[in-house]
Every structure is written in structure tokens, then in C-alpha cells.
Amino acid sequence: MKEKLEQRLQSLKSEYEAGQKMLAELEAKQANLRETLLRISGAIQVLEETLGQATDTAENNSQPSEAVVVES
């Protein structure tokens, strides 16, 4: 009986260690994914701002300037 309990204890300890290792790996992956998403978010923001500025510039350049009336 004692031998079976010791075997079960060893089995549970092995499972626990494997679970701890897996959890650490998943937490590392999660941290890496968060960093990646943060970089992507920053890139999106920069591109949106750049496109907004380009659109504003294009709109300002495409609008006809006011006609100057010269009286003679």
C-alpha cells in the first residue's frame, strides 16, 4: 500500500512540474504576444496619422485658390 502511495506521489509531482513548466512557457508566449500587439498598434497609429496628414495636404493642394478679380 505504501509503495502505491509513493508511486502516486511521484506521478503527481511529475505532473505538477510539467504543468508549472507549461504555464511558464505560456506566460512567456503571452508576454511576447502583448509586445508584438503593442508594436503593431504603434505602427497602425503612425500610419493612420501619416495618412491623415497626407490626406489633409492633398485636400489643401486640390482646392482651387480664390480667384483674384482685377478691375480695369
Side-chain angles (χ1 to χ4, degrees):
M1 177 74 166
K2 183 180 177 184
E3 191 175 306
K4 284 187 179 183
L5 291 174
E6 288 175 349
Q7 286 177 349
R8 181 65 176 143
L9 177 59
Q10 280 306 113
S11 174
L12 289 172
K13 283 183 178 182
S14 293
E15 286 182 46
Y16 184 82
E17 288 176 19
Q20 288 289 88
K21 183 179 177 184
M22 189 181 299
L23 180 60
E25 290 171 357
L26 288 172
E27 287 173 343
K29 285 182 181 182
Q30 182 183 34
N32 288 336
L33 182 56
R34 286 187 190 282
E35 290 175 13
T36 299
L37 289 174
L38 186 59
R39 284 195 302 272
I40 291 170
S41 174
I44 288 171
Q45 183 177 356
V46 167
L47 290 174
E48 286 177 341
E49 290 174 3
T50 303
L51 283 171
Q53 291 171 356
T55 301
D56 291 344
T57 303
E59 287 176 358
N60 289 339
N61 290 338
S62 66
Q63 293 177 354
S65 55
E66 294 180 25
V68 178
V69 176
V70 179
E71 294 182 18
S72 17

